[in-house]
Amino acid sequence: MKNSTYAAILMKVAPPKTMGGADYYQLGFKTASGKRILVVLGVYMMGWSGNLSKSKIYYYHEKGERLVKTSMKNPEHFIGQRFKITGFLQTLSKKEEKYRIFPLERLVYYPK
């Protein structure tokens, strides 16, 4: 499996769901080329456990030009913001340009 990176804007956040005793969020991104990418994140992957080593969320620190591992507490707050998604792209519907990133390697937030 080869991981790819996509620049996208967060367009939609589905309400949290529970599966197997763990909560998760479905985030919908859209690229400049029109691809719609679904990312499913559990609360541990979002850094909610208090242990940031399990987080897949990064913040781009422009002044230091580096990535800082962080958490994402309220994903709805980031709608309309720029991200870079790194992971394996799976096709859900080629005709409708719907895809899913699984497994997710990294989600980087780029503030405006």
Side-chain angles (χ1 to χ4, degrees):
M1 284 194 307
K2 184 176 181 253
N3 287 341
S4 302
T5 300
Y6 299 92
I9 295 176
L10 180 61
M11 302 301 281
K12 185 176 181 180
V13 177
K17 297 180 182 176
T18 303
M19 179 171 41
D23 290 338
Y24 67 94
Y25 285 84
Q26 293 179 335
L27 308 177
F29 293 90
K30 192 165 190 177
T31 66
S33 63
K35 287 183 180 176
R36 294 164 37 191
I37 300 175
L38 173 68
V39 175
V40 178
L41 286 172
V43 292
Y44 292 108
M45 294 170 66
M46 295 170 74
W48 290 19
S49 65
N51 184 0
L52 282 182
S53 66
K54 295 182 181 183
S55 177
K56 304 263 185 181
I57 311 296
Y58 290 81
Y59 170 88
Y60 179 72
H61 188 268
E62 189 174 348
K63 199 171 194 180
E65 294 184 1
R66 62 189 175 109
L67 296 178
V68 179
K69 194 174 263 201
T70 187
S71 64
M72 182 186 278
K73 296 289 184 191
N74 185 2
E76 293 88 1
H77 176 74
F78 296 93
I79 291 176
Q81 301 292 319
R82 298 177 308 142
F83 286 85
K84 280 196 179 173
I85 310 161
T86 303
F88 182 71
L89 188 70
Q90 298 176 338
T91 303
L92 298 176
S93 172
K94 190 162 184 118
K95 181 181 176 184
E96 296 175 353
E97 291 198 64
K98 290 183 179 180
Y99 302 91
R100 175 176 67 177
I101 295 282
F102 186 83
L104 177 71
E105 182 180 317
R106 174 180 10 200
L107 184 65
V108 182
Y109 167 59
Y110 287 85
K112 291 182 179 179

